[in-house]
Amino acid sequence: MHFNTRLLCAAAFSNAATVTLPALFAPRLFSLLGVANVEGWSGAYVSAVMLFQIAANPMWHAASHRVGLAASISAGQAFLAATLLLAAATPSPPFLLALRCAQGLSNGNLSLVRIAINKEGRPRDVPLVVTSMLAGVLFGSLAGSYLYDDGGARSLPHSLPYLSAAAVQMAAGAAMCAREGGEYGGEED
């Protein structure tokens, strides 16, 4: 497997896991934060990321034509890492929701992964990235259900998954920037 494909697989796994992980522990988290309408806040928290990801997709595509694919993908990973670090530290429900929206904005660049792999002449690697993303959804769901534990919080702090995902995002983004140095350029796909 090509070096960039491994980086993109790690980023896709981490992105998907952080999108799905809160789905099951969000009710417990908002309950611990003292929110009156736990179901409403949890639903908004879980769905906001997808709504903003869809909205941000065209913006990231346009940015990739200006600054290049590698820079756009790395910028999205850095932005996601920053929101994950902030989410790990915040106790405020409105701020958590705002960060979830920002995570969706940063994840809008995932469609660029397919373009980057095709530009490398490695379209056969696209299924590997998609599989990594699906594995991230599965892992995030399982980890979220473990953290939720039938309504009781486990001893694992809610910040640990966010900190782990942020580390993966920063490492993948930095490695891609260092390796490619903007190789993809701002060209049409």
Side-chain angles (χ1 to χ4, degrees):
M1 185 185 326
H2 193 265
F3 178 78
N4 284 350
T5 303
R6 281 180 281 214
L7 291 174
L8 294 172
C9 285
F13 177 88
S14 178
N15 282 1
T18 57
V19 167
T20 57
L21 185 134
L24 292 172
F25 81 77
R28 178 68 178 150
L29 175 62
F30 284 108
S31 176
L32 290 172
L33 293 173
V35 172
N37 181 5
V38 170
E39 294 84 7
W41 276 92
S42 298
Y45 183 73
V46 171
S47 60
V49 71
M50 291 299 174
L51 177 65
F52 279 82
Q53 186 172 343
I54 291 167
N57 195 346
M59 174 193 72
W60 283 108
H61 188 75
S64 73
H65 290 293
R66 294 192 198 290
V67 299
L69 285 169
S72 295
I73 292 170
S74 296
Q77 290 169 323
F79 186 41
L80 178 60
T83 64
L84 291 167
L85 289 173
L86 289 170
T90 185
S92 162
F95 195 59
L96 278 172
L97 184 59
L99 287 171
R100 194 72 171 154
C101 295
Q103 288 171 5
L105 291 175
S106 65
N107 275 348
N109 75 347
L110 286 178
S111 64
L112 301 178
V113 169
R114 179 198 52 83
I115 297 168
I117 291 173
N118 284 336
K119 284 197 176 201
E120 281 186 358
R122 303 183 65 81
R124 68 182 176 274
D125 287 349
V126 172
L128 295 172
V129 175
V130 172
T131 300
S132 297
M133 200 175 299
L134 293 173
V137 169
L138 179 63
F139 174 80
S141 299
L142 292 172
S145 66
Y146 176 80
L147 292 174
Y148 187 60
D149 186 33
D150 296 324
R154 296 227 186 234
S155 59
L156 182 68
H158 88 276
S159 60
L160 187 60
Y162 291 116
L163 294 173
S164 301
V168 171
Q169 292 302 317
M170 288 187 285
M176 182 173 282
C177 275
R179 177 117 161 66
E180 294 304 324
E183 173 184 313
Y184 298 121
E187 51 192 70
E188 295 296 317
D189 54 281

